[in-house]
Amino acid sequence: MPTLRSYPDPVLKPAAGGLDEAPASPDSSSTRRRSRRRERLRDVAIEKTLIALRTVPERLLARGVRDLRRRRPEVFERLGPVADTSIDIVPSNLPIRFRLRLTDTCRPVAVVGRDAEGPCAASIAGPLPLLLEVLDGRSDADAAFFSRRLVVTGDTQTVVGLHNTLEAAELAPADLVGAPPALRGAANALARLGLDWLNRRGADA
């Protein structure tokens, strides 16, 4: 009579390395690709939303530029040909850019996509809070440039002309949005509270 042999059940056979071995982690390159894809989709969604809502900031900034031209004509005289030049302000943490052409009476500040084409003499890129603080005069633009917190590309002389004019003008946030005299103090206070909040968020990120 043949001898019966018992074979271990393959389902119950322990995996090599013991039962407590951690499962293999997913392929890291695949995880990175999925993460980049999610970031791109998020940026596209944010860009489309901001472009759809751009009429509000564009009108607000256009009113500020017109009001500043009326109250402080010497600022635009000092700018000279720079005022007729396109300069892009590029927040590094937003998928859009602000295109300045201050002699354009209808749309002196345009909100465009990050990859928007068009004539542009120079661009200034950096975190949004820092860009606003430089315009406000709270941050030293030279120190930010030399520390590479601000990145300037294109015609450097155009950027220097803009910087020197803004520095001499000593503008406040209320000047940029054309706040009426009765609301200038409140507008400046709110803008600076917003900047402080953005800076804290950036520090915590």
Side-chain angles (χ1 to χ4, degrees):
M1 183 176 180
T3 303
L4 297 178
R5 297 182 180 177
S6 60
Y7 294 92
D9 189 337
V11 176
L12 301 178
K13 183 178 180 180
L19 294 174
D20 295 332
E21 183 178 340
S25 60
D27 182 69
S28 59
S29 62
S30 174
T31 303
R32 286 195 298 269
R33 283 196 298 270
R34 285 197 297 270
S35 177
R36 286 195 296 267
R37 191 179 303 118
R38 284 195 297 268
E39 289 176 0
R40 283 196 298 269
L41 291 173
R42 182 200 61 194
D43 286 348
V44 168
I46 293 174
E47 178 181 349
K48 288 183 179 298
T49 301
L50 293 175
I51 293 297
L53 299 173
R54 67 184 176 182
T55 303
V56 175
E58 284 184 351
R59 287 181 177 175
L60 187 67
L61 293 169
R63 185 179 67 182
V65 171
R66 287 194 297 268
D67 181 70
L68 183 63
R69 185 187 294 275
R70 177 180 57 80
R71 292 187 301 103
R72 305 277 305 275
E74 76 279 2
V75 173
F76 292 84
E77 292 171 4
R78 184 182 176 90
L79 277 172
V82 173
D84 195 38
T85 303
S86 291
I87 302 174
D88 280 3
I89 308 297
V90 188
S92 57
N93 45 352
L94 286 178
I96 58 168
R97 58 179 64 200
F98 298 91
R99 182 158 292 165
L100 277 61
R101 191 180 183 88
L102 299 178
T103 55
D104 187 334
T105 56
C106 296
R107 203 179 173 201
V109 182
V111 179
V112 299
R114 172 61 65 86
D115 299 322
E117 297 180 354
C120 175
S123 69
I124 308 170
L128 180 60
L130 178 60
L131 291 169
L132 294 174
E133 286 184 351
V134 167
L135 292 174
D136 182 28
R138 297 178 71 192
S139 286
D140 184 346
D142 294 328
F145 173 74
F146 287 116
S147 66
R148 297 187 179 275
R149 296 175 65 204
L150 284 182
V151 178
V152 174
T153 57
D155 183 8
T156 307
Q157 288 301 113
T158 297
V159 175
V160 170
L162 177 65
H163 164 245
N164 290 342
T165 301
L166 293 175
E167 187 176 50
E170 297 183 344
L171 300 178
D175 294 309
L176 304 179
V177 297
L183 298 177
R184 287 179 61 81
N188 288 332
L190 285 173
R192 284 162 183 156
L193 282 173
L195 283 174
D196 291 340
W197 180 77
L198 287 170
N199 280 324
R200 286 196 300 271
R201 284 203 63 186
D204 295 338

